[in-house]
Amino acid sequence: MRGTSRLLPLQSMTALAVAVLLVAALPRLSFAQQEERPVFVIVERTATTGPESTQEQYATLARDILPKYGARYLARSQHNMLLEGEGAATPCCMAILEFPSQDAVKRWYDSPENREATKIRQSGAKFRLIAIEGLPRQK
């Protein structure tokens, strides 16, 4: 019995050391996993308040800005169909963008060139933009 009681503190200390190492590694593991998940931005024009040429001007700017942040359009449409839920499908302009990470989305959205383009976009319409995390990339 005495030998067992001496091992218990050593086992407890070993377990504690392993737990500390795992906790210390979690932020790095979590960060690595986030970097491997794409992020999709859903853009929905909810109201048009100005001429369509304003949105065309914005679209030209957006096409040039997105690749700088590793992003691309997956879909852009003015022909949308509501499959479930209340209300009508937005009759105009939805897009889905793909970014390599949440960090890339933040850098794009907060970038000086996007802020300037956003002023143009918002001068002629109201929008909702939603970023959703995708599934991990398969290796």
Side-chain angles (χ1 to χ4, degrees), residues 111-131:
S111 70
E113 63 254 347
N114 187 59
R115 284 191 210 158
E116 287 302 312
T118 296
K119 289 178 188 175
I120 293 168
R121 176 174 51 80
Q122 291 176 344
S123 74
K126 294 182 182 193
F127 287 83
R128 282 183 357 142
L129 278 72
I130 301 169

Side-chain angles (χ1 to χ4, degrees), residues 71-114:
R72 65 187 181 116
Y73 281 101
L74 293 181
R76 290 178 57 199
S77 177
Q78 293 184 1
H79 308 285
N80 307 302
M81 176 176 46
L82 181 68
L83 296 176
E84 189 172 321
E86 296 180 22
T90 303
C92 183
C93 309
M94 293 184 78
I96 301 173
L97 311 173
E98 180 184 23
F99 286 82
S101 65
Q102 285 184 350
D103 181 61
V105 171
K106 290 174 188 172
R107 287 185 294 110
W108 160 73
Y109 190 76
D110 294 335
S111 70
E113 63 254 347
N114 187 59

